[in-house]
Amino acid sequence: MAELVRSLSGRRSPLAATGSDQPLPIRLSEFAGVADPTVRQLCSLALGGVVTPASACRLALRHAEEVSGPRRSQPPAAAGAIRYELTLAGDPFGEFAFHLRGRGGWIVFAPVTSLGLLPELCPGVGIQACMLVGCGADGRSTVRLLTAKDWHRRIVSLSNGRNRCGSNHILLLGGLPSREPERSSALTEIEQAVHRGGNTRLVFSTLRKRSEAARSIASRNHSREMLAMIELAFPGLVDVPAPTGGAR
């Protein structure tokens, strides 16, 4: 990898590769965990437009792998541990969207400026709720919880700039239980987690839930996984209570 970076640098003066990586949106040395001439050259190439910032990050990570030696084997995952699969579309420093999948549920997160990337990540069916996130006049995070039937209309409104509550991010939720009362129970817990958020306000909700929704253990575990993914996508948006009775 170091040889590839040197070849990309070509005849560029060595002084050009010794500058700080501060002007990039992220420090490559901190991102890759390696601060050496190769990483500084990558930063210089990104600043000069030879490679994109995303490519510079990928090359820096690969270089860090090569210089760190053989990896130590990872310990086996704890029983019941949840693994998440992340898929990214677009430029992480520009227009982007990502898809995060757990055991059963999934979410897609994107800024309003990246609506065109949503079809790349969303399954054709299965979107059951949409959370539009923005900032109100009081500085608090504002959330609109919509049904799958309503989110298309809201996204068109956001694209045209007619959003009154300042919404500028979209979280699409999928993989929720398809049957009642488990589905209503999961949606209820998501709505309550938004209410509990310290700096979050639910400004509108069109989610129709059955008031007699049962609080089954299976539903609580499913909604907890969805809430964990929401927290990963948008830290601080929801307040997930600690599990009771030692449950994971």
Side-chain angles (χ1 to χ4, degrees):
M1 185 53 57
E3 184 61 33
L4 172 62
V5 173
R6 283 194 293 270
S7 67
L8 287 174
S9 299
R11 298 180 181 179
R12 183 174 295 187
S13 167
L15 292 177
T18 59
S20 166
D21 54 358
Q22 179 65 34
L24 282 183
I26 188 171
R27 291 181 180 271
L28 286 185
S29 56
E30 295 180 0
F31 181 75
V34 175
D36 64 7
T38 298
V39 173
R40 290 194 292 271
Q41 282 182 318
L42 277 171
C43 176
S44 179
L45 291 170
L47 292 174
V50 179
V51 298
T52 65
S55 295
C57 287
R58 287 193 291 268
L59 293 174
L61 286 176
R62 189 175 302 177
H63 171 67
E65 267 186 35
E66 292 179 354
V67 300
S68 62
R71 292 183 175 179
R72 293 179 296 179
S73 60
Q74 295 183 347
I82 299 176
R83 293 182 178 273
Y84 300 107
E85 176 185 345
L86 176 67
T87 304
L88 176 70
D91 181 355
F93 303 119
E95 294 189 3
F96 73 95
F98 65 76
H99 181 282
L100 190 63
R101 178 180 294 277
R103 285 174 177 166
W106 57 265
I107 66 172
V108 171
F109 173 88
V112 170
T113 55
S114 305
L115 294 181
L117 296 172
L118 291 179
E120 297 183 25
L121 298 175
C122 290
V125 295
I127 297 173
Q128 295 170 313
C130 177
M131 303 177 69
L132 304 177
V133 185
C135 185
D138 56 359
R140 299 178 67 188
S141 297
T142 58
V143 177
R144 289 177 180 262
L145 292 173
L146 306 176
T147 64
K149 295 180 180 179
D150 294 331
W151 77 275
H152 290 282
R153 175 180 54 82
R154 284 296 305 164
I155 286 179
V156 170
S157 175
L158 290 170
S159 301
N160 295 333
R162 297 197 299 268
N163 48 307
R164 296 184 178 181
C165 69
S167 297
N168 53 13
H169 294 85
I170 295 173
L171 280 78
L172 301 177
L173 312 182
L176 293 169
S178 57
R179 295 182 178 181
E180 300 291 356
E182 287 81 6
R183 181 177 181 275
S184 287
S185 179
L187 290 174
T188 298
E189 293 208 18
I190 290 173
E191 186 171 274
Q192 289 179 349
V194 172
H195 278 297
R196 290 192 301 264
N199 189 36
T200 306
R201 179 180 57 171
L202 182 66
V203 296
F204 188 62
S205 176
T206 62
L207 297 180
R208 295 171 178 85
K209 301 173 295 296
R210 294 175 56 175
S211 58
E212 68 273 16
R215 302 290 177 166
S216 66
I217 296 298
S219 178
R220 285 203 298 268
N221 289 341
H222 188 99
S223 61
R224 181 172 296 280
E225 178 188 0
M226 184 69 73
L227 292 172
M229 288 193 288
I230 294 173
E231 179 65 16
L232 287 172
F234 206 112
L237 182 63
V238 297
D239 178 19
V240 184
T244 58
R248 294 295 301 273

